[in-house]
Amino acid sequence: MEFLKIFFWISLFIIFYSYLGYGILLFLIIKIRRILGLSKNFEGNEDYEPEVTLFVSAFNEKDYLEQKVKNSKSLNYPQDKVTQIWVTDGSDDGTPELLKKFDGVEVHHKDERAGKIAAMNRGMAFVKTPIVIFSDANTDLGKDSIREIVSLFRNPKVGCVSGEKRIYSKDADSAAGAGEGMYWKYESQLKKWDAELYSVVGAAGELFAIRTELWQEVEKDTLLDDFMISLRVAMSGYTIQYNPEAYAIETASANVKEELKRKVRISAGGIQSVVRLRALLNFFKYGTLSFQYISHRVLRWTLTPLLLFLIIPINFVLAQNEGVLSFGLFSILFWGQVLFYTAALLGWFLENRQIRLKALFIPYYFFIMNLSVFLGFGRYIKGNQSVNWERAKRDVQTEAVA
């Protein structure tokens, strides 16, 4: 019984640390560094305004093309310094033909569909500017996004800059939209603190940029191209910085089923990334970056979801030992878990009946996030996760932004 108690408390600590404790620790470290004057802003050359390439890999994105090109041309950056490159491998809905009708858009099409990363590897040969900015076809960029991204590259130690992902929201949000929106707000704050401490741990694929010279071809079966590309830049001795003023907006998944599909792919890619970036687990070589990587990513993709599952029966055994209906500590914690997962189940029940109670979206979305890790791990082990684009159905776009 003592072993179970020790295992339970260690597991509970790791779970707490993964989702909240690391954020609290970061906050305290940042506060202390600011008090001691250790947090310094790099000003650099204010006139730094290099040529950039907006790079979009697209598969059958006909419905988004006009809006995306229009949005890209409206950004607050000299248009003579912006090159638009679209790589449309495998598209057969008229995407490449329609793109060629727009002035100032460079299109590189190939009939064969080999997946996003193959398109990126091929398309990067056409990039001639010092900075390349990656973005998705179905996202709109904030008006000052390019300028905000470029401003951080004034620091020669910065090799990658991640923008912020924002989610369109509505008054009567779905669980997917509300949950995803709240999750990204929390993630955004963690990224700000990560960047201030040393480096962000991975960029958001919706909008990120790297120094073109730091590009490394990525394995063709890579699932999380943005994560692998950005972390390998960091492993080269540069930092990944974060600027929430550079942002990409997209609609939330249409429902939790579609969101689960997306997250299972991300989870499978997360496991793949942990395996391929295993050298980054070496504290002696990567120091602070390793600490951030393990705390912010590795635990969430590996150990924490497993412990969430294991502590339920262990907590029940410990609660039963002191009396399940007593007011003992283990009993209180057990019934707290029961209440949490009941709320998640109720959230699922109400969502399927189009009854939306936002108070239940957090436990529901949290459950979906961790369920996706188990499903993603299964896909990774079986090796049946396709590298081809598989777009989740999106919700109807509205004017408000989460």
Side-chain angles (χ1 to χ4, degrees):
M1 194 61 67
E2 284 302 314
F3 172 77
L4 286 182
K5 288 181 180 180
I6 294 172
F7 183 84
F8 176 80
W9 288 118
I10 291 176
S11 299
L12 197 61
F13 171 78
I14 292 173
I15 292 167
F16 174 80
Y17 178 77
S18 298
Y19 291 106
L20 294 175
Y22 176 61
I24 295 171
L25 181 60
L26 265 182
F27 172 77
L28 293 175
I29 293 174
I30 294 301
K31 283 292 185 183
I32 294 171
R33 285 171 61 90
R34 289 175 182 173
I35 292 172
L36 297 177
L38 299 176
S39 294
K40 298 179 181 179
N41 294 321
F42 185 91
E43 299 298 334
N45 180 7
E46 293 184 1
D47 297 325
Y48 184 63
E49 198 176 74
E51 293 185 348
V52 301
T53 295
L54 275 178
F55 189 108
V56 182
S57 303
F59 171 73
N60 286 353
E61 301 282 7
K62 182 177 65 175
D63 295 340
Y64 299 96
L65 298 185
E66 186 172 354
Q67 174 61 27
K68 180 66 175 181
V69 173
K70 180 180 178 181
N71 170 254
S72 298
K73 288 180 176 293
S74 70
L75 301 178
N76 180 23
Y77 202 79
Q79 283 300 304
D80 62 335
K81 293 187 175 182
V82 179
T83 300
Q84 281 197 57
I85 289 183
W86 287 68
V87 185
T88 60
D89 291 8
S91 291
D92 56 8
D93 69 338
T95 289
E97 292 76 17
L98 184 56
L99 278 170
K100 290 175 182 177
K101 295 180 180 180
F102 297 105
D103 293 331
V105 176
E106 194 176 315
V107 184
H108 299 279
H109 177 70
K110 190 175 181 180
D111 290 336
E112 178 187 359
R113 184 186 182 191
K116 182 179 180 181
I117 192 60
M120 294 177 75
N121 283 335
R122 186 173 73 86
M124 280 300 294
F126 303 105
V127 177
K128 307 302 180 185
T129 61
I131 303 295
V132 56
I133 302 172
F134 300 99
S135 178
D136 288 344
N138 64 337
T139 61
D140 284 340
L141 304 186
K143 193 170 184 64
D144 294 316
S145 290
I146 294 180
R147 194 167 292 284
E148 293 291 344
I149 281 177
V150 165
S151 68
L152 294 183
F153 280 110
R154 295 191 305 232
N155 186 340
K157 294 183 179 179
V158 174
C160 174
V161 176
S162 176
E164 181 177 79
K165 173 184 176 179
R166 297 186 183 181
I167 302 297
Y168 284 107
S169 63
K170 327 183 266 200
D171 292 336
D173 236 333
S174 66
E180 191 177 359
M182 288 183 281
Y183 170 76
W184 278 106
K185 286 178 182 177
Y186 177 60
E187 276 296 297
S188 178
Q189 187 58 60
L190 286 184
K191 287 180 179 181
K192 291 176 187 176
W193 291 335
D194 269 333
E196 188 171 344
L197 178 62
Y198 176 65
S199 174
V200 177
V201 190
E206 290 76 15
L207 177 61
F208 76 104
I210 67 169
R211 296 185 189 275
T212 306
E213 63 181 330
L214 299 179
W215 166 262
Q216 301 176 50
E217 281 206 4
V218 183
E219 296 87 341
K220 292 182 179 179
D221 62 342
T222 298
L223 300 176
L224 295 185
D225 51 270
D226 49 353
F227 190 78
M228 293 291 292
I229 292 167
S230 57
L231 259 295
R232 282 177 172 165
V233 167
M235 292 172 73
S236 299
Y238 294 82
T239 67
I240 306 168
Q241 291 301 302
Y242 176 64
N243 192 337
E245 297 305 313
Y247 60 88
I249 315 171
E250 70 176 27
T251 51
S253 301
N255 50 54
V256 174
K257 180 180 179 181
E258 291 298 321
E259 178 65 6
L260 180 61
K261 181 196 302 183
R262 190 178 72 88
K263 285 202 171 296
V264 168
R265 178 186 177 86
I266 291 174
S267 297
I271 299 297
Q272 181 191 65
S273 299
V274 170
V275 173
R276 290 186 175 171
L277 298 175
R278 55 189 176 275
L280 194 48
L281 301 176
N282 185 348
F283 278 97
F284 297 102
K285 183 174 182 179
Y286 295 104
T288 302
L289 182 62
S290 291
F291 161 68
Q292 293 178 297
Y293 173 59
I294 294 171
S295 299
H296 198 162
R297 298 298 184 189
V298 176
L299 288 177
R300 291 192 191 183
W301 282 338
T302 56
L303 189 58
T304 301
L306 176 62
L307 294 178
L308 276 168
F309 174 75
L310 290 178
I311 65 168
I312 298 174
I314 291 174
N315 197 176
F316 175 73
V317 171
L318 294 174
Q320 195 173 43
N321 186 59
E322 67 180 10
V324 177
L325 298 179
S326 70
F327 287 98
L329 180 57
F330 290 111
S331 296
I332 293 172
L333 291 173
F334 173 73
W335 288 112
Q337 288 194 74
V338 171
L339 180 62
F340 183 86
Y341 289 110
T342 299
L345 183 62
L346 184 58
W348 168 81
F349 178 82
L350 295 177
E351 172 72 8
N352 286 339
R353 282 155 181 75
Q354 300 298 308
I355 302 172
R356 288 161 178 174
L357 186 60
K358 286 194 175 185
L360 301 177
F361 289 172
I362 293 178
Y364 184 23
Y365 192 77
F366 181 83
F367 174 75
I368 291 298
M369 281 176 57
N370 286 283
L371 174 62
S372 70
V373 175
F374 283 97
L375 299 177
F377 180 77
R379 282 198 186 183
Y380 174 73
I381 294 299
K382 293 177 182 177
N384 61 359
Q385 174 63 63
S386 172
V387 297
N388 290 333
W389 284 279
E390 186 180 356
R391 187 190 306 114
K393 295 177 182 177
R394 313 305 293 186
D395 208 342
V396 178
Q397 182 171 314
T398 59
E399 296 181 356
V401 178

